[in-house]
Amino acid sequence: MSDPTMENISLNGSVRWAAARIGWTLNKFRQKRDILENDGFPKVDRITNLYVKADVDAWINRRRQLSDNAVLRGSALEPLKEVNFSAL
């Protein structure tokens, strides 16, 4: 069965999409949904009965442990160095 919410054009996602977005099987997602929601994972929209994809992505982003300006090199964190293209 096709799930149109798996397409990028859809701004809302099914339970199947939400599970895939966080890298879980549908069964694991259903089993642990209460734990996720207690940790702030968004609930389905009452009107569409779908997840708002931007809300799910915002939850994932809040859980990030590294900022965009840090990269892992070997075993040490180093800030990204900006390149002055005008000097080239």
Side-chain angles (χ1 to χ4, degrees):
M1 181 157 94
S2 178
D3 182 349
T5 72
M6 298 299 277
E7 301 293 327
N8 287 339
I9 194 168
S10 177
L11 297 177
N12 296 306
S14 65
V15 173
R16 184 173 150 243
W17 173 87
R21 189 67 172 165
I22 64 171
W24 285 2
T25 64
L26 183 56
N27 190 40
K28 181 176 181 179
F29 183 85
R30 285 184 171 147
Q31 289 174 350
K32 301 203 177 233
R33 187 186 319 202
D34 289 342
I35 294 169
L36 289 169
E37 289 177 356
N38 285 337
D39 192 49
F41 192 85
K43 296 181 179 184
V44 294
D45 180 80
R46 294 180 325 167
I47 295 172
T48 64
N49 202 33
L50 296 168
Y51 289 95
V52 176
K53 288 181 177 182
D55 290 348
V56 172
D57 287 344
W59 179 84
I60 291 168
N61 289 332
R62 283 192 304 273
R63 297 186 54 78
R64 289 186 56 189
Q65 297 179 31
L66 298 177
S67 67
D68 283 336
N69 65 351
V71 293
L72 188 61
R73 296 201 177 137
S75 62
L77 287 176
E78 298 177 16
L80 286 175
K81 295 183 175 129
E82 291 189 26
V83 176
N84 183 354
F85 289 105
S86 299
L88 297 177

